[in-house]
Amino acid sequence: MAQPLSNRQNIANQQGISLPTSYQQRIKDSPDWPSKQVIKLELQGSSNTESIVSEIAERFSVRSQIVASRIEQVSGQRYDSLIVEIAGHPWDQKLAIDHCRCKGISTQLLGYVS
């Protein structure tokens, strides 16, 4: 028997994505200068979260790199999870992350790497 849609959505969100071991060993709670922010981006829907990485690099003078990604389809609904490293001036990093939020992408700061 099929589960209600809300349960399928919860299952997809719980599976998520984890930080690679190499980053777990290097990540810090507070920034050193120069530091790169490591953030988790999540979006439910038809948008392509991966394209935001190049968009923020072009618009906000930051360098961004996808550290890990997970894209799933559940009942035709797309779930994107990315862990991204963002380098640049702290103000530019903030603007880039705010831009992601304005696009409806959930953001979570995981920490900082040098």
Side-chain angles (χ1 to χ4, degrees):
M1 185 169 136
Q3 297 176 330
L5 182 58
S6 60
N7 287 345
R8 286 194 299 261
Q9 289 172 340
N10 288 336
I11 290 168
N13 289 335
Q14 290 170 2
Q15 290 175 344
I17 187 171
S18 59
L19 194 61
T21 305
S22 61
Y23 276 80
Q24 290 175 14
Q25 296 167 351
R26 297 176 30 218
I27 202 155
K28 300 176 185 176
D29 292 333
S30 59
D32 295 329
W33 182 255
S35 282
K36 302 169 199 162
Q37 289 188 37
V38 179
I39 61 170
K40 182 177 183 180
L41 305 175
E42 293 184 308
L43 182 66
Q44 172 185 331
S46 61
S47 296
N48 185 348
T49 315
E50 293 170 326
S51 66
I52 195 73
V53 174
S54 57
E55 183 179 331
I56 62 174
E58 291 172 10
R59 292 186 70 179
F60 300 102
S61 300
V62 295
R63 293 175 314 283
S64 52
Q65 172 182 330
I66 297 173
V67 174
S69 68
R70 183 179 186 125
I71 300 170
E72 295 194 27
Q73 292 271 347
V74 177
S75 297
Q77 186 72 30
R78 182 177 166 141
Y79 298 90
D80 293 8
S81 293
L82 297 176
I83 295 178
V84 179
E85 177 184 294
I86 299 178
H89 188 277
W91 179 250
D92 293 324
Q93 291 178 11
K94 180 191 177 325
L95 291 174
I97 293 168
D98 287 347
H99 179 72
C100 291
R101 290 182 184 130
C102 287
K103 292 272 194 178
I105 298 171
S106 170
T107 65
Q108 177 186 3
L109 176 64
L110 301 178
Y112 302 89
V113 293
S114 297

